[in-house]
Amino acid sequence: ETNMKVRANVKMSGCTFDEWKTFYDSYEADRVKFVRNETVLQISDSEAEVVFEIFDIDGLTGLSKRGDILDFEQQNGVVVSIEGT
């Protein structure tokens, strides 16, 4: 098991932070299989920062390619950039 602490910057051009957060929360039960100690910080109405530890990178990668997630991100101009901490 490899723990990797990550900071993700999330920018959204087609929805508000609240709309994005509602969608993000909708698949939390799936994310907790792969990440822990997750914190979501609202930067502005169109930007968020998410900090978390990944313990199953393959599982998280698979989840991030799920159709409903990709559709939401595409339809709402969501761009995620990830950096290690």
Side-chain angles (χ1 to χ4, degrees):
E1 180 180 308
T2 312
N3 278 2
M4 184 166 60
K5 196 168 184 193
V6 169
R7 178 186 294 120
N9 178 267
V10 184
K11 289 188 166 78
M12 52 221 74
S13 57
C15 67
T16 64
F17 170 85
D18 290 336
E19 290 166 328
W20 169 81
K21 179 78 163 61
T22 298
F23 177 76
Y24 190 72
D25 288 347
S26 75
Y27 63 96
E28 180 179 12
D30 299 307
R31 272 198 316 282
V32 296
K33 298 172 189 165
F34 316 118
V35 305
R36 64 169 70 97
N37 298 331
E38 183 181 68
T39 308
V40 177
L41 178 68
Q42 180 174 358
I43 307 289
S44 70
D45 200 43
S46 60
E47 188 175 354
E49 183 177 278
V50 186
V51 178
F52 52 90
E53 286 174 42
I54 303 170
F55 59 87
D56 181 350
I57 185 70
D58 294 335
L60 185 62
T61 300
L63 177 64
S64 69
K65 293 178 176 164
R66 207 172 75 185
D68 61 326
I69 297 173
L70 291 176
D71 287 349
F72 181 89
E73 291 180 347
Q74 189 174 10
Q75 289 164 10
N76 293 285
V78 176
V79 178
V80 181
S81 52
I82 293 188
E83 50 197 68
T85 58

